[in-house]
Amino acid sequence: MNDRILGIASLLLAIFLTWQSYGMEAPFSYEPLGPNAFPLMIAFIIGVCGLILIVKGSLIVDRNPPGANARIASMVICIAAYAFLFQWAGFVIATAGMTAIVGRLFGGKWLWTILSGVILGVAFFLLFDKALDVVLPTGLLGDLL
């Protein structure tokens, strides 16, 4: 029953996102699709996943293993912290921190999660900011990047 409830909630969220994104207009055109393309794609993906959960909801599923709910709650808190720290700390630091913490939640060793977080943060910053010309916040690193 939980899958069906989550599926229905996902469909309602997808409908809300679709409704809200149709009214988005930019004062100037900076991309050919406009500002509502990304929210519409996200709404479509959430809607499809919601439908899958509703259909799949009739299957018998096992309970979460011990500690799984705490890890899920920790991930939600980590994502919220990432959103709040993104502008102030900058893309590289926020991404490295989030990657390290999520890696630890999945059983990774501190050294490897921190190392992979830093590599991922720097690599994606260079990809988006330098190669794709998508401006990302540098935050605390300022002019180093």
Side-chain angles (χ1 to χ4, degrees), residues 70-81 98 101-102 105-106:
R71 285 193 306 273
I72 292 169
S74 298
M75 284 190 59
V76 170
I77 292 169
C78 185
I79 291 170
M98 186 191 73
I101 293 170
V102 170
L105 289 174
F106 282 97

Side-chain angles (χ1 to χ4, degrees), residues 1-77:
M1 191 64 174
N2 288 338
D3 285 346
R4 287 189 177 154
I5 293 170
L6 181 60
I8 291 169
S10 298
L11 277 179
L12 292 174
L13 177 63
I15 291 168
F16 177 75
L17 285 174
T18 303
W19 174 59
Q20 288 294 313
S21 64
Y22 269 113
M24 295 176 78
E25 291 184 20
F28 56 89
S29 179
Y30 56 91
E31 61 182 44
L33 297 177
N36 63 354
F38 184 73
L40 286 175
M41 287 188 300
I42 296 297
F44 176 74
I45 292 169
I46 291 173
V48 168
C49 291
L51 286 174
I52 291 170
L53 284 173
I54 291 171
V55 171
K56 180 188 136 211
S58 62
L59 302 176
I60 297 173
V61 294
D62 295 331
R63 296 181 63 82
N64 285 341
N69 290 338
R71 285 193 306 273
I72 292 169
S74 298
M75 284 190 59
V76 170
I77 292 169

Side-chain angles (χ1 to χ4, degrees), residues 91 95 120-136:
F91 178 82
T95 301
L120 185 72
V122 171
F124 277 139
F125 181 84
L126 292 174
L127 173 69
F128 281 100
D129 197 63
K130 306 301 181 195
L132 298 175
D133 204 26
V134 175
V135 178
L136 294 173

